[in-house]
Amino acid sequence: MIDCENEVYTRIVRMLREEFPGINVAGEYTKTPSSFPHVSITQSDNSTIADKQDTSGKEAMSLVMFEINVYSNKSEGKKAIDEKMFSMNFRRLAFTPVPNLEDATIYRIIARYSAATDGENFYRR
């Protein structure tokens, strides 16, 4: 299996911590973050691309999908991750604001991105 989860996570976390000092970031989904802004980044799928597999039996390319949950009580920067994922050649599959009925001052977005990878590079398909 081509494993790029740590690479993608690290790239996003670096950008977020540069742009938003003190941001709370996790590698797993958190239902109730302890502080804001909070971002969870999880790889939700990693599948072989069959027509990119050769006779060596090794996986040449994988299709990966990441889910990112953003919780923010700030008015700016809510879409910085979208720009970062595009710069890494990911394709956005969904970008959905989720109403917070308990506290309307907390903004939440669920975003999903997909890319093909050979383990070193990411490609839009």
Side-chain angles (χ1 to χ4, degrees):
M1 180 171 88
I2 296 172
D3 185 8
C4 64
E5 185 173 13
N6 191 47
E7 178 67 24
V8 172
Y9 179 86
T10 300
R11 288 186 193 186
I12 296 170
V13 168
R14 280 187 190 142
M15 178 274 302
L16 288 171
R17 291 194 173 138
E18 261 182 40
E19 198 165 329
F20 307 101
I23 192 166
N24 183 349
V25 184
E28 57 189 32
Y29 172 75
T30 304
K31 183 178 178 181
T32 53
S34 59
S35 64
F36 299 102
H38 173 82
V39 176
S40 69
I41 305 162
T42 56
Q43 181 174 293
S44 54
D45 193 22
N46 183 327
S47 57
T48 301
I49 300 175
D51 63 348
K52 300 292 182 190
Q53 200 166 4
D54 61 22
T55 57
S56 72
K58 292 185 178 182
E59 185 175 34
M61 303 247 343
S62 287
L63 184 61
V64 295
M65 182 170 56
F66 284 83
E67 180 173 294
I68 300 173
N69 282 271
V70 178
Y71 296 83
S72 180
N73 57 356
K74 303 207 180 294
S75 59
E76 73 281 339
K78 296 174 183 170
K79 297 178 181 158
I81 292 171
D82 195 57
E83 293 168 5
K84 181 63 176 175
M85 294 302 281
F86 274 147
S87 77
M88 292 170 31
N89 283 332
F90 276 78
R91 184 171 57 94
R92 183 178 54 251
L93 303 174
F95 194 87
T96 309
V98 178
N100 186 339
L101 301 176
E102 293 180 25
D103 185 350
T105 65
I106 305 299
Y107 186 83
R108 181 177 176 204
I109 294 173
I110 298 174
R112 291 183 185 91
Y113 298 90
S114 179
T117 184
D118 58 7
E120 293 181 22
N121 302 296
F122 298 100
Y123 307 93
R124 289 188 182 110
R125 286 189 43 101

